[in-house]
Amino acid sequence: MDDPNYDEFGNYIGPELATSSEEEESDVELEAASRPGAAFGEVAGSENDEEIGSEEDAEDTGRGPMAMARRVDISQTQIVLHEDKQYYPEAEEVFGPGVETIVQEEDTQPITEPIIAPIKVRKFQVDEDKDLPDTTYTKEFLVDLMGYPEMVRNIAVAGHLHHGKTALVDVLVASTHAWPEWDKASPIATPVTKIQRPNDKAFGYTDIHQLERQRGVSLKAMPISLVAQTTKGKSYALNILDTPGHVNFMDEVVASMRMADGVVLVVDAVEGVMASTERVIRAAIREGLSLTLVVNKVDRLIIELKLPPTDAYYKLKLTIEEVNNIIADCPLTNAALRVSPELGNVCFASATFGWCFSLESFARRYIDTWGMPVSPKELAKRLWGDIYYHTERRTFMRKRAKGGSEAKRSFVHFILEPLYKIFAQVVGEDEPQLRVVLESLGVELRKSDYALDARALLRKALSHFFGPPTGFLDMCSEHIKSPLENAVAKTEHLYTGQTDSATAAAMRNCDANGPLVVNIGKQYPSADGTQFYALGRIFSGSIKTGEKVRVLGEGYSPGDDEDMALATVTNAWIYCSRYKIPVSGLGAGGWVLLGGVDGSISKTATLTDTRVSEEELAIVRPLPLPSESVIKIAVEPVVPTDLPKMLSGLRKIGKSYPLAQTKVEESGEHIVMGTGELYLDCIMHDLRCMYAEIEIKVADPIVAFRETVSETSAVKVFGDSPNGKNRLTIISSPLEQGIAEDIEFNRVQSNWPARQMGQFFESNYGWDILAGRSIWAFGPGNDGPNILSDDTLPDETDKVRLRSVRDSIKQGFQWAAREGPLCDEPMRGTRFRILGADLAETVIHRGGGQIIPAARRVCYSSFLTAEPRLMEPINFVEIQAPADCVSAVYTVLGRRRGHVTHDAPKAGSPMYTIRALVPTIDSSGFETDLRTFTHGQAFCQQYFDHWQIVPGDPLDKEIVLRPLEPSSGQQLARDFMIKTRRRKGLSDDVSIDKYIDDITLREVVRDLHH
Ligand SMILES: Nc1nc2c(ncn2[C@@H]2O[C@H](COP(=O)(O)OP(=O)(O)O)[C@@H](O)[C@H]2O)c(=O)[nH]1
Ligand SMILES: [Mg+2]
């Protein structure tokens, strides 16, 4: 600080500097000189007053004369008004006419956003909406036929994965729809032909979703309606839902069965009955539907396994018997239900070769060709079972004649041998001989057909030989009830309203003039994924476009009309997967696709019209979907501001996937729950590409847990209400095995009268009759697998007072059961018994605000004193593998805490079937692992089976968990609990003090866990 002009702080203290006006002047000068305009003497003039000023300044400084001279040089000397002056050319002059120019301010738009966005093609499905395809019937005929419920059949085609359901539907479509290259029209179909089915022309008419096409597997239940004829030439309108076979998509099957009157079960002749087949049978019987069977892929017995005809018969018979065994095993079966070819409810098919026949339709061919003097029914009866045909005597016999090789089993003689011959001839003979043979069978092919490769030629020859699948129609028309016949059963099974109301009566009569009741069972997105349409079954009345309807959601009940909305039906169609036939209205019995009503629907809904009076309003039961969504993933948008988009996407996912559930965890995580890896994968695809169109982060999959107790509470636990005037004593104990399932499957219901409840528990579980009668509630919800009962003694407790707070205690219990104390997961299989209640005298002191939290806390504390345990979901796994891979399968299972329950060769096939149980938490990636270990030779299907207690005490503080090391054995429970708590943002350990006030009691509980 030597400079005398500045003080020690660096402030200027020297003499005064030049004045501020001088400063300004010099600044302006500089500016004027540096601007190019100024140098050119401002031909273009100046932009504002200040600049005019600067020009004058410039003149003053002596550069003026030159500038003046230039200005004079300009030829345009006429005066142009300031506002008319054109300084710059217009965009049009530069770029020519017809070019749009956009002026953008710099830096106001993110660089990631294009100024002109490219046109997006939003198309996720194949459709032919432009013009309806040609069909063998007129569309009007189909619509007319829908008006006669007795001529309609509503069918769900179901079965195991890849057993040929879609291919079977293709056969029906191919016989009624114009065949021309279906798939050429669709832009997203091209990859399929490469991946799948290179030479046989099975298209997957009902597989329209982008993912279905790419992966060659059905993921959604897709409907198609068509008209087809029986062997006798009678026309029926078929509404068919082609369901997915993958176990993860059981929800779609259940939703389809809800809409249908009967199930066509498709079983692969080689693989036989598999895990999904069994589940389908059980679900169909639970829903009370008729069951018919199609044994598909019969060609594999001939071509792949090369079984001799007699053995092929045994294999087919075995498959049918397997189905019958499961039917017989189902609890609700009426003993009469059996599938067998001679009864007419079994068809044989080879969908890729385009045929499907029943015994009767085959018999008719014989009769028509050779003019046999019997009725097809009579002949058909003799074509199955231990009936033999003596070729020389030409008679049917019950027993094979001794030593006579002339007598052959009739099925083998009349059906299998000719079939084998056609296969052999087509594959083995040259064109001239083959032509003779085929023409003798009435099959005339074009010359070009003979040039096709063997498979294609076989398909042509066989589909010509068998003709349209009339046998299938016979089966459906005879063995599946029409909506009219089934209306009573369906109404009783599903309708929650008064059975004696006019609405219920109309539903039972399938009355097209009655009040409107439509059950929306599924929703379908439009091809661009922006809207949803609702597919429903019309129980009674007629739906018309333009009509106003009430939409009752699943949450609707007569006392609670929050879940009710009004909507107008904007469109009605008959839905055929790839195209929609618009209709102005449709009557009871059939299915209809509606536009404009889906706004308030999340999963299913009931539509009624205003003619149904307020008192009669009731819903059709929601889908009976058991708690199968046990795998969870947490999702989060990469860009946090995209959250609203993701939320609206998640809402759409909920509509499109019947079992998908989404919820927000306390920590703010968005959780999506699904049944398995494929299911969640499809959800994420749809969410990312179709519905939200944003990038989404996904956390590793985790599973849901349940909390339960393993002992009776060690002490009688009591708890006081916040005001200290009420004291509740509750103890908890585990429920007997099976009760939780009974409650969940509604085999016992909370609204039953006490007497019935008592009887149920007495006869099924040996409870004291009073214990059953004193049950107050199930929870959480009305069918939660926990029980609250009142076991107080009248001479100890004031029962009247206790009854007055019953609802509050129930609420406290429900709350506790929904969010257990271990890690906020629901409780399961726990019984809470109220042993004592010391309640305040005045009503005001025992209000909900006092009792609910008290009840909840006592539930928790009694729970914690009863050796609480964690339960985890266990998957059932079915693995198909060749014999030499079996040991590898064991290895993979062993690494994932799995154990084998069944291991046996599959009769009549080279494969082994291994069934095992694997904890769901260890099941992610199992399939990939299995494939790697067996070089892709093993296939597995897995689904949630049951809940099982995790070994170890979750509250044992002595267990030390080491980070990054897998826990095992008795440590697991604690490991799972702590990790779940951390994820949910809870404190690391369960604090017992939070739930128990009494200090001595706390000590007791602490001791318990040491
Ligand atoms: N050999 C043979 N293969 C078939 C037959 N029907 C279907 N397939 C094949 O089985 C696979 C699965 O068929 P798909 O209809 O998609 O099965 P879905 O899962 O039941 O719908 C496809 O590759 C079909 O080509 C059949 O009758 N014979
Ligand atoms: Mg399919």
Side-chain angles (χ1 to χ4, degrees):
M1 283 296 134
D2 297 330
D3 195 334
N5 286 341
Y6 294 91
D7 67 8
E8 71 264 45
F9 300 111
N11 296 323
Y12 184 70
I13 47 166
E16 259 190 43
L17 295 172
T19 58
S20 57
S21 61
E22 275 172 337
E23 211 177 307
E24 261 171 37
E25 249 176 46
S26 61
D27 269 359
V28 172
E29 230 174 79
L30 264 173
E31 194 189 314
S34 66
R35 274 187 314 125
F40 281 103
E42 296 293 351
V43 181
S46 44
E47 277 159 42
N48 54 38
D49 293 344
E50 197 203 318
E51 282 168 15
I52 291 171
S54 70
E55 202 173 279
E56 280 160 13
D57 292 339
E59 274 168 37
D60 288 346
T61 53
R63 281 189 289 122
M66 245 189 83
M68 284 295 280
R70 273 214 209 119
R71 190 174 292 178
V72 176
D73 277 351
I74 305 297
S75 54
Q76 285 179 326
T77 45
Q78 72 263 49
I79 297 167
V80 180
L81 285 179
H82 177 66
E83 57 268 34
D84 291 343
K85 280 183 188 161
Q86 193 193 0
Y87 305 127
Y88 303 107
E90 296 282 338
E92 199 176 312
E93 290 165 32
V94 178
F95 300 110
V99 178
E100 185 192 10
T101 50
I102 295 175
V103 179
Q104 285 283 329
E105 272 186 38
E106 49 188 314
D107 293 345
T108 55
Q109 202 176 7
I111 194 149
T112 47
E113 199 178 301
I115 295 175
I116 301 172
I119 298 168
K120 251 195 258 168
V121 186
R122 289 186 51 94
K123 194 164 166 74
F124 303 103
Q125 294 178 359
V126 190
D127 59 5
E128 303 181 352
D129 259 347
K130 291 279 160 339
D131 33 22
L132 303 179
D134 288 333
T135 38
T136 51
Y137 47 88
T138 61
K139 306 289 178 303
E140 291 74 26
F141 183 54
L142 172 65
V143 178
D144 285 347
L145 214 51
M146 293 282 179
Y148 299 91
E150 63 277 14
M151 304 305 291
V152 176
R153 293 293 180 273
N154 299 322
I155 302 167
V157 179
H160 191 76
L161 177 72
H162 282 341
H163 278 194
K165 298 170 291 298
T166 307
L168 182 72
V169 175
D170 275 350
V171 174
L172 286 168
V173 175
S175 70
T176 48
H177 286 57
W179 186 258
E181 314 292 310
W182 290 336
D183 273 12
K184 282 226 170 111
S186 72
I188 59 177
T190 10
V192 186
T193 23
K194 263 190 271 154
I195 301 171
Q196 197 201 3
R197 317 166 182 178
N199 39 24
D200 32 303
K201 281 211 168 24
F203 282 104
Y205 196 77
T206 45
D207 286 350
I208 63 165
H209 190 285
Q210 201 173 19
L211 277 181
E212 296 181 319
R213 310 281 336 161
Q214 282 165 5
R215 301 184 174 182
V217 53
S218 315
L219 305 170
K220 295 254 164 242
M222 291 307 295
I224 179 146
S225 300
L226 45 84
V227 178
Q229 282 81 30
T230 61
T231 321
K232 294 192 187 112
K234 197 167 169 191
S235 290
Y236 283 91
L238 294 187
N239 291 319
I240 301 172
L241 264 165
D242 171 31
T243 65
H246 196 282
V247 272
N248 280 4
F249 293 92
M250 193 62 197
D251 51 344
E252 300 275 337
V253 181
V254 173
S256 311
M257 287 188 181
R258 181 46 72 77
M259 311 262 301
D261 296 307
V263 173
V264 172
L265 182 70
V266 179
V267 179
D268 184 328
V270 175
E271 291 191 349
V273 171
M274 305 272 289
S276 293
T277 319
E278 186 171 339
R279 294 177 98 200
V280 167
I281 297 173
R282 290 185 192 281
I285 288 173
R286 237 193 341 263
E287 283 280 312
L289 303 181
S290 348
L291 194 69
T292 59
L293 175 67
V294 172
V295 182
N296 190 31
K297 305 204 188 180
V298 175
D299 63 289
R300 287 183 71 190
L301 299 181
I302 308 172
I303 299 176
E304 273 177 41
L305 297 190
K306 302 194 171 61
L307 292 181
T310 347
D311 292 357
Y313 167 80
Y314 284 119
K315 175 77 184 147
L316 292 172
K317 186 166 178 232
L318 181 78
T319 304
I320 295 169
E321 278 322 307
E322 274 180 320
V323 172
N324 280 324
N325 287 346
I326 295 174
I327 296 177
D329 190 37
C330 288
L332 302 171
T333 309
N334 51 346
L337 184 57
R338 231 181 88 77
V339 291
S340 188
E342 81 273 11
L343 299 176
N345 52 12
V346 176
C347 278
F348 299 96
S350 167
T352 34
F353 290 107
W355 51 266
C356 177
F357 67 84
S358 65
L359 291 185
E360 197 179 330
S361 72
F362 212 104
R364 187 171 281 272
R365 264 208 73 97
Y366 273 104
I367 291 166
D368 290 350
T369 316
W370 283 284
M372 290 174 158
V374 274
S375 79
K377 263 215 156 54
E378 285 302 308
L379 182 55
K381 269 192 211 151
R382 294 181 171 75
L383 288 183
W384 184 256
D386 294 332
I387 295 182
Y388 300 86
Y389 184 70
H390 199 287
T391 37
E392 279 172 10
R393 279 189 259 149
R394 296 179 168 244
T395 48
F396 288 97
M397 299 182 300
R398 282 267 160 212
K399 280 204 193 98
R400 189 196 291 249
K402 274 194 204 90
S405 60
E406 304 81 18
K408 281 196 184 137
R409 199 179 287 278
S410 56
F411 186 75
V412 174
H413 176 78
F414 282 99
I415 295 175
L416 286 179
E417 284 188 347
L419 204 57
Y420 272 65
K421 267 185 202 144
I422 300 180
F423 271 87
Q425 296 274 346
V426 173
V427 176
E429 298 287 338
D430 287 339
E431 191 201 319
Q433 288 98 322
L434 185 58
R435 186 181 284 276
V436 177
V437 174
L438 288 182
E439 274 170 13
S440 74
L441 291 171
V443 179
E444 293 194 12
L445 297 182
R446 270 179 281 143
K447 182 123 187 87
S448 59
D449 292 339
Y450 286 98
L452 293 170
D453 66 38
R455 274 185 90 84
L457 179 58
L458 254 179
R459 185 186 165 86
K460 277 249 150 62
L462 286 165
S463 56
H464 269 221
F465 176 70
F466 284 100
T470 54
F472 181 79
L473 255 288
D474 290 344
M475 177 175 87
C476 294
S477 61
E478 277 174 38
H479 294 275
I480 290 179
K481 288 183 181 150
S482 72
L484 188 62
E485 278 176 283
N486 204 25
V488 176
K490 214 71 187 164
T491 310
E492 272 166 18
H493 182 53
L494 298 179
Y495 191 55
T496 58
Q498 304 283 337
T499 43
D500 53 359
S501 65
T503 317
M507 286 169 75
R508 279 196 294 270
N509 293 331
C510 198
D511 183 1
N513 299 317
L516 180 75
V517 179
V518 180
N519 177 215
I520 301 294
K522 254 190 79 59
Q523 296 174 74
Y524 292 93
S526 58
D528 61 359
T530 51
Q531 315 177 36
F532 275 86
Y533 306 122
L535 184 72
R537 176 183 167 119
I538 311 175
F539 276 91
S540 74
S542 304
I543 193 137
K544 293 177 202 69
T545 51
E547 196 177 24
K548 259 208 153 49
V549 290
R550 286 203 203 98
V551 184
L552 310 179
E554 288 183 3
Y556 176 87
S557 68
D560 170 14
D561 62 358
E562 199 180 318
D563 202 355
M564 180 173 88
L566 283 178
T568 309
V569 178
T570 52
N571 298 86
W573 297 278
I574 292 177
Y575 193 22
C576 302
S577 292
R578 296 195 179 199
Y579 61 96
K580 307 189 197 80
I581 305 170
V583 290
S584 56
L586 216 55
W591 299 346
V592 65
L593 186 74
L594 299 172
V597 297
D598 69 283
S600 62
I601 307 178
S602 63
K603 303 266 185 214
T604 67
T606 310
L607 307 189
T608 63
D609 59 7
T610 33
R611 282 200 289 158
V612 181
S613 64
E614 290 275 347
E615 305 86 64
E616 279 188 14
L617 277 185
I619 59 167
V620 176
R621 230 177 270 285
L623 292 179
L625 296 173
S627 59
E628 280 192 12
S629 301
V630 289
I631 303 192
K632 305 177 176 182
I633 46 174
V635 292
E636 186 191 341
V638 172
V639 185
T641 48
D642 280 341
L643 187 65
K645 276 193 197 164
M646 189 181 86
L647 294 185
S648 92
L650 284 176
R651 243 189 321 277
K652 289 182 179 162
I653 290 291
K655 277 173 179 267
S656 160
Y657 291 80
L659 250 185
Q661 285 168 21
T662 53
K663 75 172 194 196
V664 186
E665 214 75 83
E666 212 135 292
S667 58
E669 272 184 317
H670 289 269
I671 302 280
V672 182
M673 294 199 266
T675 51
E677 280 176 273
L678 182 65
Y679 197 84
L680 288 169
D681 191 43
C682 295
I683 288 184
M684 287 317 297
H685 169 271
D686 283 5
L687 187 61
R688 285 185 171 130
C689 306
M690 276 174 84
Y691 300 133
E693 292 185 283
I694 51 170
E695 283 184 52
I696 292 176
K697 278 193 279 192
V698 184
D700 282 345
I702 36 176
V703 300
F705 289 104
R706 294 287 183 270
E707 301 182 8
T708 191
V709 295
S710 58
E711 300 286 336
T712 306
S713 301
V715 278
K716 256 209 233 174
V717 198
F718 54 85
D720 297 335
S721 60
N723 64 4
K725 297 197 171 159
N726 306 282
R727 171 167 286 193
L728 290 171
T729 312
I730 292 183
I731 65 167
S732 56
S733 53
L735 281 176
E736 283 88 339
Q737 200 133 40
I739 297 184
E741 287 76 19
D742 279 350
I743 299 175
E744 276 177 332
F745 283 104
N746 290 330
R747 289 193 277 264
V748 49
Q749 290 173 15
S750 57
N751 55 2
W752 278 5
R755 243 170 49 111
Q756 195 180 357
M757 193 80 97
Q759 265 167 11
F760 178 87
F761 283 99
E762 191 191 18
S763 59
N764 290 309
Y765 295 99
W767 282 21
D768 186 306
I769 184 104
L770 281 177
R773 280 178 179 221
S774 65
I775 289 176
W776 270 9
F778 300 152
N782 282 332
D783 47 7
N786 301 286
I787 291 180
L788 172 73
S789 61
D790 161 30
D791 281 13
T792 52
L793 299 174
D795 45 352
E796 283 177 9
T797 309
D798 186 344
K799 284 269 184 186
V800 180
R801 232 182 262 173
L802 182 60
R803 222 166 287 135
S804 74
V805 296
R806 178 177 165 148
D807 279 341
S808 303
I809 297 183
K810 260 163 70 174
Q811 273 187 43
F813 154 74
Q814 297 263 4
W815 187 5
R818 196 162 48 240
E819 299 168 354
L822 295 183
C823 50
D824 235 3
E825 296 278 317
M827 292 183 186
R828 185 181 175 83
T830 310
R831 178 177 176 196
F832 292 96
R833 283 184 287 167
I834 309 170
L835 293 188
D838 211 352
L839 298 167
E841 266 172 39
T842 42
V843 178
I844 193 147
H845 289 136
R846 47 181 154 97
Q850 299 294 333
I851 303 294
I852 297 176
R856 174 174 177 240
R857 284 184 69 204
V858 192
C859 283
Y860 283 161
S861 43
S862 68
F863 185 91
L864 288 173
T865 50
E867 292 285 322
R869 288 287 178 271
L870 215 55
M871 293 179 110
E872 64 173 340
I874 302 288
N875 273 7
F876 172 86
V877 191
E878 190 183 68
I879 303 161
Q880 293 272 312
D884 55 344
C885 287
V886 173
S887 65
V889 172
Y890 270 80
T891 319
V892 179
L893 281 170
R895 290 212 217 155
R896 293 173 177 262
R897 290 199 284 142
H899 69 267
V900 174
T901 56
H902 166 105
D903 166 5
K906 183 104 200 168
S909 97
M911 303 296 258
Y912 259 70
T913 307
I914 298 156
R915 302 206 177 110
L917 296 172
V918 177
T920 312
I921 198 165
D922 290 316
S923 74
S924 53
F926 175 76
E927 192 164 347
T928 321
D929 226 16
L930 189 70
R931 296 256 169 93
T932 327
F933 262 72
T934 59
H935 306 288
Q937 298 182 73
F939 291 91
C940 77
Q941 290 262 295
Q942 49 178 334
Y943 56 85
F944 166 76
D945 191 64
H946 65 275
W947 294 98
Q948 185 176 303
I949 291 183
V950 185
D953 180 356
L955 296 180
D956 185 353
K957 289 214 174 80
E958 270 160 28
I959 295 174
V960 188
L961 300 173
R962 296 185 213 308
L964 303 179
E965 258 180 47
S967 308
S968 59
Q970 299 293 315
Q971 301 173 334
L972 273 175
R974 183 143 181 96
D975 182 75
F976 290 163
M977 184 189 82
I978 291 194
K979 284 188 182 145
T980 313
R981 289 185 69 89
R982 284 192 192 143
R983 223 191 40 247
K984 293 189 175 184
L986 306 169
S987 63
D988 252 15
D989 218 336
V990 183
S991 90
I992 290 162
D993 304 358
K994 213 168 103 190
Y995 304 115
I996 304 175
D997 303 323
D998 197 86
I999 296 168
T1000 42
L1001 214 54
R1002 275 184 206 165
E1003 291 309 316
V1004 174
V1005 177
R1006 285 221 176 83
D1007 287 348
L1008 279 176
H1009 296 289
H1010 284 293

